[in-house]
Amino acid sequence: MKVIIVGGVAGGATAAARLRRLDENAEIIIFEQSGFISYANCGLPYYIGGEITEREALTLQTPQQFFNRYRIQVRVHHRVTSIDKDKKIVTVTDLKTNDVFEESYDKLLLSPGSRPVVPPFPGKDDPRIFTLRNVEDTFAIDDFINASRPQNAVVIGGGFIGLEMAENLKQKGIDVTLIELLPQVFVPFDYDMASFVHDCLKRNGIKLMTGCAVEGFESVGKTLNVSVKEHPAVKADLVILAVGVAPDASLAQAAGLETGIKGAIRVNEKMETSAKDIYAVGDAVEIINSVTKSPTLIPLAGPANRQARIAADNICGRSSVFKGAQGSSILKLFEMSFAATGLNETAARNAGIAFDKVVTFSASHATYYPGAGNMTVKVLFAPENDGRFKKGQILGAQIAGTDGVDKRIDVLATAVRCGLTAEELTELEPAYAPPYSSAKDPVNIAGYVISNVLEGAVKQFHWYDLPRLMRQENGFFVDVRTPEENETGRISGSINIPVDTLRDRLAEIPKEKEIFLICQSALRSYIACKILTAHGYRCSHLSGGYRFYKSAMEGNTEYATRLCGDCGAPLK
């Protein structure tokens, strides 16, 4: 059997190694248009920032190493330009010699990855403007920085690459402006959770411009002016264009393979394309979201590696299927970590899935043990058993914090994958010792809070509901924090009655009104709710507390105010 693989990195190289383990006698050839067959794609920004110091550390395998271990032919600087699926032949160009030749195959695996999106901005071809896709791009940016010593950089786009590049350029001593077209960065997060990303960027000296449209570039002497709609031009010595990626599926499209979202290659659960004996994996393929069961694009290394293994199994006659992906991801940004899995609010609404949510605030480990960090945990869940999901089933989660974020998102990712409910979260038994966790782990806490909401033990309202609720004539707002906390920031119109004095001051709270309770993180307001309910009051409390409200309002004040003005309308 002769197998041709187009593209290396996560998909192609992984599939090739798996193929060799399954079939010692197969002839396997990889064609890769760059100069590197297997490299740490996710580590590229960290080389530019100096966290990774050796160029060789980025390359996981050289073509010679790959051949020595697997007896697989790796031909770098070779681009496959066409596929004849009837004759089972690919046409290849040697990019160094420009020689063109044909290569036959029995099985063909496409792993072309994704390509950076480059909008048709005027001036986009200026040599000071870079995209980041591969090792060559990384070295080009690094060489430019070393030669030109830029003082000011503009990063356009607030996705993974844009955020990581902003951090690493800042750590090189370069002043960084990050411009994002949307009202928020980091779209795996809902806006309210992304406000913590905004705060982290600003706190670390990144100038953040959200909701801003770049219109083009103009060279003025040694400076590059970045034109921004309705804003003064931003001066830059270096620009990183990171507005997003698209499936690099032109080869498949030209061959007449069936395509889907954004032209991505359509595959079945065996990673087979619409053409016999042609498979595809990685960023260029359309897959199924394992939660919504609908087609999606998830350009992440983890799913690509799983798909590669499954494709190799099926090429070798083994029965193996890909059951979709939920998009679990994590981002390190300065001292913070931001992670998400499953559905956020936008994805749930787009899929027509009913959901509710809770926001909790937990320490990464026992607070009496030194070094505990804080985490904000937002979890989406199914409010009812609707035939698709069980009541309380975990649909997605987002976490912002310092230590322990990776550990908790992995548990919640497992919960989403396995269809666990809130009650089952409370029954989980994470390992506990004071340096690592608390007796009630943050994941358990999320389960308890969801269970309280589902059981009607407490009612909650959200940060964007506040203006609407404050217009109610029968509403009465009580802040149960300490007077000292209250003085640092408060909801206008609320009265301050600390929770520990609440039972003694019930006479100050009108029983005929609906009581809305506020505290810093929603723990004391929950306790206050239970006290007042026991005394015959109708009450609810602010999910996530005042600190969550404050973060959301300050993350993008204009956008947050508009959301609040929509009377609690769903986040767009």
Side-chain angles (χ1 to χ4, degrees):
M1 178 174 64
K2 182 177 180 181
V3 183
I4 299 293
I5 299 176
V6 180
V9 200
T14 298
R18 175 69 172 170
L19 283 166
R20 176 57 73 222
R21 291 194 296 271
L22 295 176
D23 188 342
E24 179 65 19
N25 298 313
E27 181 183 0
I28 306 169
I29 304 174
I30 302 176
F31 291 115
E32 166 58 47
Q33 63 181 350
S34 77
F36 300 86
I37 178 59
S38 179
Y39 55 88
N41 203 315
C42 298
L44 300 181
Y46 300 102
Y47 175 80
I48 294 170
E51 291 291 325
I52 299 171
T53 57
E54 299 296 329
R55 291 193 170 192
E56 293 76 14
L58 295 174
T59 55
L60 305 180
Q61 293 275 356
T62 67
Q64 187 60 51
Q65 289 171 330
F66 220 71
F67 180 80
N68 291 343
R69 178 161 295 181
Y70 298 110
R71 291 301 188 267
I72 292 172
Q73 299 179 52
V74 178
R75 302 180 186 176
V76 295
H77 299 300
H78 281 69
R79 177 180 295 146
V80 175
T81 57
S82 67
I83 302 167
D84 188 327
K85 58 182 185 292
D86 297 320
K87 294 181 180 179
K88 302 180 81 168
I89 289 173
V90 296
T91 302
V92 187
T93 298
D94 183 329
L95 298 177
K96 286 198 167 181
T97 66
N98 289 323
D99 291 340
V100 178
F101 61 93
E102 293 181 341
E103 195 78 48
S104 64
Y105 65 84
D106 296 310
K107 305 285 185 180
L108 176 64
L109 175 64
L110 304 178
S111 180
S114 57
R115 54 178 173 77
V117 173
V118 181
F121 293 135
K124 65 181 176 60
D125 296 324
D126 189 283
R128 290 164 287 189
I129 301 173
F130 296 86
T131 59
L132 180 62
R133 178 186 185 183
N134 54 34
V135 175
E136 284 92 343
D137 295 338
T138 306
F139 293 165
I141 295 169
D142 187 59
D143 289 343
F144 177 86
I145 291 172
N146 291 332
S148 301
R149 304 294 178 185
Q151 299 298 306
N152 301 287
V154 170
V155 177
I156 302 173
F160 284 98
I161 293 295
L163 291 168
E164 290 169 351
M165 283 301 300
E167 174 192 21
N168 281 282
L169 290 172
K170 184 65 179 179
Q171 291 183 335
K172 293 281 282 189
I174 301 171
D175 288 335
V176 178
T177 299
L178 192 152
I179 305 174
E180 168 58 52
L181 178 63
L182 297 176
Q184 68 170 82
V185 300
F186 199 56
V187 293
F189 270 15
D190 294 315
Y191 163 74
D192 46 18
M193 289 294 290
S195 64
F196 291 102
V197 189
H198 296 176
D199 177 68
C200 178
L201 290 167
K202 296 171 185 176
R203 193 171 61 250
N204 284 280
I206 304 293
K207 181 180 179 183
L208 178 62
M209 299 174 65
T210 54
C212 296
V214 171
E215 296 184 314
F217 308 96
E218 181 183 7
S219 181
V220 181
K222 294 183 178 181
T223 301
L224 186 63
N225 280 351
V226 182
S227 300
V228 184
K229 186 176 181 180
E230 299 179 355
H231 289 271
V234 181
K235 298 184 183 300
D237 305 311
L238 165 68
V239 172
I240 303 295
L241 200 55
V243 299
V245 296
D248 192 356
S250 57
L251 180 64
Q253 293 165 357
L257 302 186
E258 189 175 337
T259 58
I261 301 171
K262 293 185 179 180
I265 306 167
R266 187 162 283 166
V267 294
N268 62 18
E269 62 183 5
K270 295 184 176 182
M271 307 313 298
E272 296 170 321
T273 70
S274 58
K276 181 177 172 54
D277 294 324
I278 301 180
Y279 298 75
V281 300
D283 295 359
V285 305
E286 177 188 88
I287 61 172
I288 296 298
N289 183 298
S290 60
V291 183
T292 66
K293 308 304 180 187
S294 58
T296 189
L297 303 177
I298 299 181
L300 295 171
N305 275 278
R306 295 203 308 275
Q307 294 159 22
R309 182 182 178 91
I310 288 163
D313 284 354
N314 286 291
I315 287 172
C316 291
R318 298 164 65 99
S319 181
S320 187
V321 298
F322 182 67
K323 298 179 181 178
Q326 64 200 55
S328 300
S329 59
I330 189 166
L331 168 74
K332 175 202 167 295
L333 194 63
F334 298 102
E335 77 283 5
M336 298 283 289
S337 295
F338 305 98
T341 188
L343 304 184
N344 60 20
E345 294 192 41
T346 299
R349 287 193 192 91
N350 290 343
I353 294 172
F355 68 91
D356 202 349
K357 62 204 173 193
V358 299
V359 177
T360 60
F361 190 59
S362 298
S364 58
H365 61 250
T367 54
Y368 59 80
Y369 187 90
N374 293 320
M375 287 185 290
T376 302
V377 182
K378 180 176 182 178
V379 181
L380 273 62
F381 60 94
E384 299 291 343
N385 188 336
D386 62 3
R388 295 176 66 183
F389 304 101
K390 297 171 288 186
K391 184 176 181 177
Q393 184 171 334
I394 307 305
L395 303 176
Q398 302 157 51
I399 307 179
T402 50
D403 297 330
V405 171
D406 54 343
K407 172 178 170 179
R408 276 50 181 234
I409 203 68
D410 286 345
V411 175
L412 289 166
T414 303
V416 171
R417 191 69 176 193
C418 297
L420 300 188
T421 65
E423 182 179 356
E424 289 167 321
L425 284 189
T426 69
E427 296 169 352
L428 293 180
E429 192 176 334
Y432 162 63
Y436 301 103
S437 184
S438 299
K440 288 185 288 188
D441 189 84
V443 172
N444 300 133
I445 294 294
Y448 291 132
V449 174
I450 294 170
S451 296
N452 284 339
V453 171
L454 289 172
E455 294 165 4
V458 69
K459 293 181 179 180
Q460 60 179 5
F461 60 95
H462 300 288
W463 65 272
Y464 50 78
D465 292 322
L466 273 167
R468 173 177 58 85
L469 296 176
M470 295 187 77
R471 289 195 294 269
Q472 291 185 192
E473 291 185 3
N474 68 333
F476 192 81
F477 286 79
V478 181
D479 188 326
V480 298
R481 297 176 296 165
T482 65
E484 293 77 16
E485 289 175 293
N486 188 260
E487 287 187 8
T488 64
R490 60 192 294 268
I491 303 297
S492 177
S494 62
I495 67 165
N496 181 216
I497 304 178
V499 66
D500 293 338
T501 67
L502 188 61
R503 291 180 181 88
D504 300 323
R505 298 175 62 180
L506 292 178
E508 300 175 40
I509 304 174
K511 218 164 197 178
E512 71 277 8
K513 292 196 174 186
E514 186 172 357
I515 311 305
F516 300 106
L517 295 157
I518 301 158
C519 77
Q520 190 69 9
S521 66
L523 174 59
R524 285 170 288 176
S525 58
Y526 164 67
I527 295 169
C529 256
K530 300 304 290 182
I531 294 171
L532 292 183
T533 300
H535 285 84
Y537 290 86
R538 294 176 297 119
C539 58
S540 58
H541 76 134
L542 177 59
S543 173
Y546 178 80
R547 60 167 195 86
F548 195 66
Y549 164 83
K550 184 173 184 289
S551 177
M553 291 303 297
E554 293 179 350
N556 181 334
T557 303
E558 181 181 348
Y559 183 64
T561 302
R562 178 164 66 81
L563 289 174
C564 288
D566 289 341
C567 299
L571 301 185
K572 298 292 190 291

